[in-house]
Each structure stands twice: as C-alpha cells, then as structure tokens.
Amino acid sequence: MKTSLWFIVIALFISFAAQAQEKNIKITDEKYEEEILLGYCDREGLQYGEFGESYDQEYSEYDARRKAVRKIKRTKQDYEIVLVLATWCHDSKEQVPRFFRVLDESGIPEDIMTVICVDGEKAGGEVSVESYNIERVPTFIFFRNGEEIGRIIETPEMSLEEDMLEIVY
C-alpha cells in the first residue's frame, strides 16, 4: 500500500514539474543572429516582438473556410496536437497565426496542443524534438491515443482547416 502511494506522489510531482517548465524563453539564435523563442511556448509568447507583428496581421486577415470549420466543430476532440515552429521562419509567421484562428473558430481548446519553438538548427533547447523528425517548420502533428494520425508540414495542401479535417475526421 505504501509503495503505491509513493508512486502516485512521485507521478504527481513529475507531472506538476513538467507543467511548470518555463515557457517563452528568448535567446539570440547564432545562425540567424536574431532573438527567437526556444522550447515550450504559448500563444501569449508568440504575440510579442517581430513574430507578434506577423501574428496579429495573419490572424486577423485569415478567412477560414466556413464549411470545413463547421465540420471540425462537430468532430470528436479525441486528439492532441504538437506544433513545432520557428519564430525566425516565414512560413511559421504565416501559418501559425492562421492555425490559431482555425482553432478559435472551431472551438478547439488550446490545451490539446503543445507548442515547441526551435532554433536555426531545428533544436528545441531543453525540449527534445528529435522523436518528431522535424525537417521543415512549421510542422503540425496530430496524435490520437498516442499514435500519430497525420501532419501538416510547412504549408497546407488545400487549407489549414481542410487539411486538419482530413486528418482528424
């Protein structure tokens, strides 16, 4: 009985420690010689600085396809998303704010998504992204029950919302 109680306490501690990991860490990227975000990030971190300027414009101007958004709203939200992006990357500056717009219009909660920023070498600092096999950014990876069910790499084939619908439906 004591062993299982200690196991639960340790598991909870590890869980809380992982959630408390610092987000929105700014560094100067050696490859691009500019300030970037590295590691775990959130929407708030993405809305500041040079990336934030692009964020505001792309988010407000993106006109998501309503039919796809309505279908996404009706799908079962039994998936998780890992988003790997780079704040120095043009495609990330364009696609990431648009993706957040799709999530908002679809009523998808942000807590199903983990956002990781990488440097010019596509490394996440203290956060390992090796298991995701990232070649280009942004990469939106969708998981169901721990298994990858699809990804959108760099730019969508049709649109973010239509590509997402194809993956999660």
Side-chain angles (χ1 to χ4, degrees):
M1 178 74 173
K2 287 184 179 182
T3 304
S4 62
L5 180 60
W6 277 111
F7 177 75
I8 292 169
V9 170
I10 291 170
L12 285 172
F13 177 76
I14 291 170
S15 174
F16 288 126
Q19 290 176 357
Q21 189 165 13
E22 192 173 351
K23 290 184 179 180
N24 304 320
I25 297 171
K26 295 177 185 174
I27 67 158
T28 299
D29 186 89
E30 292 178 18
K31 183 173 183 178
Y32 293 102
E33 298 179 351
E34 66 181 67
E35 187 176 80
I36 64 165
L37 291 174
L38 187 68
Y40 291 117
C41 297
D42 58 22
R43 184 189 305 220
E44 185 178 321
L46 297 173
Q47 292 177 312
Y48 292 100
E50 185 180 331
F51 195 90
E53 293 171 20
S54 300
Y55 184 100
D56 291 340
Q57 180 177 354
E58 291 296 334
Y59 183 93
S60 64
E61 292 179 2
Y62 189 63
D63 188 21
R65 295 181 171 128
R66 303 286 174 236
K67 185 176 180 180
V69 168
R70 282 193 305 273
K71 286 183 179 178
I72 292 170
K73 277 184 180 182
R74 292 192 305 260
T75 61
K76 186 177 179 183
Q77 294 177 13
D78 62 344
Y79 53 89
E80 299 85 38
I81 305 166
V82 173
L83 165 56
V84 181
L85 71 114
T87 56
W88 49 262
C89 168
H90 171 75
D91 291 315
S92 290
K93 290 177 183 179
E94 181 179 79
Q95 299 302 326
V96 170
R98 293 175 177 186
F99 190 75
F100 275 103
R101 178 79 182 250
V102 171
L103 292 181
D104 290 347
E105 290 186 12
S106 301
I108 307 293
E110 285 183 47
D111 65 356
I112 69 162
M113 185 165 63
T114 301
V115 180
I116 305 169
C117 292
V118 295
D119 62 17
E121 302 300 322
K122 300 200 181 60
E126 298 289 319
V127 180
S128 175
V129 294
E130 289 178 14
S131 65
Y132 299 123
N133 299 314
I134 302 300
E135 294 181 14
R136 293 177 290 177
V137 288
T139 298
F140 305 86
I141 311 167
F142 296 81
F143 295 89
R144 183 172 284 128
N145 300 320
E147 297 289 322
E148 183 176 328
I149 58 172
R151 52 175 71 198
I152 301 169
I153 302 171
E154 205 168 31
T155 57
E157 290 181 23
M158 297 175 284
S159 70
L160 285 165
E161 57 278 12
E162 290 169 321
D163 288 7
M164 179 179 174
L165 183 59
E166 287 288 319
I167 294 168
V168 300
Y169 192 65

